[in-house]
Amino acid sequence: MTWYLLLVGLVVAERLAELVTARRHTAWSLARGGREYGRGHYPAMVALHTALLAGCLVEPWALDRPFVPALGWSALAVVLAAQGLRWWCIATLGPRWNTRVLVVPGLPLVERGPYRLLRHPNYVAVVAEGAALPLVHSAWLTALGFTVLNLVLLRVRIGCEETALTEGGRLRAPASVPGAGAAR
């Protein structure tokens, strides 16, 4: 279990690095007239991600979960791939990447890197990591709980981002979205 604690510790360190990066990027965005969207769901997102990391530590210890090599090594590969995708997203967006939803007026939609393939590639990384990290040490309750709650939260988050990008003039509003520029 020692190496699993180290893995979770490395993910915690990575998340702290993300928060430092996000704070710097927030200042950059706000200095350029950036507008924040979705403040209301942000605390729930922080709580859910914190609970994921806590569950990764508590469940294997409290419920005496074994390390199952076929599952654990496969899940570790997914965790590592998710980290690679996450940092590819961060590098592609540069100072526009954030843990919050911030839109700087006048900047075009990013359509390179993983964004040329997917609309929200960072959330692919979040979903993959959230399911796989607990499974490295058979914490299936944590994986299941996070996945279900995260899907609910992502529905809100992605809707918020789509609204922000539509209002920011980067996306055309779909005709089916009332109040987002569609004719009624």
Side-chain angles (χ1 to χ4, degrees), residues 11 20 29 81 88 96 109 111 127 131 133 140 144 147 160 173 181:
V11 172
V20 168
S29 295
W88 187 20
R96 292 164 64 174
L109 188 66
E111 296 180 304
V127 168
L133 182 62
W140 63 270
L144 180 62
T147 298
C160 173

Side-chain angles (χ1 to χ4, degrees), residues 31-68:
R32 286 157 181 78
R35 178 176 169 205
E36 184 174 357
Y37 293 78
R39 277 188 196 167
H41 74 267
Y42 189 74
M45 190 172 76
V46 171
L48 181 60
H49 285 258
T50 302
L52 167 67
L53 296 170
C56 285
L57 297 174
V58 171
E59 184 179 346
W61 172 77
L63 298 178
D64 197 27
R65 298 287 194 219
F67 175 75
V68 178

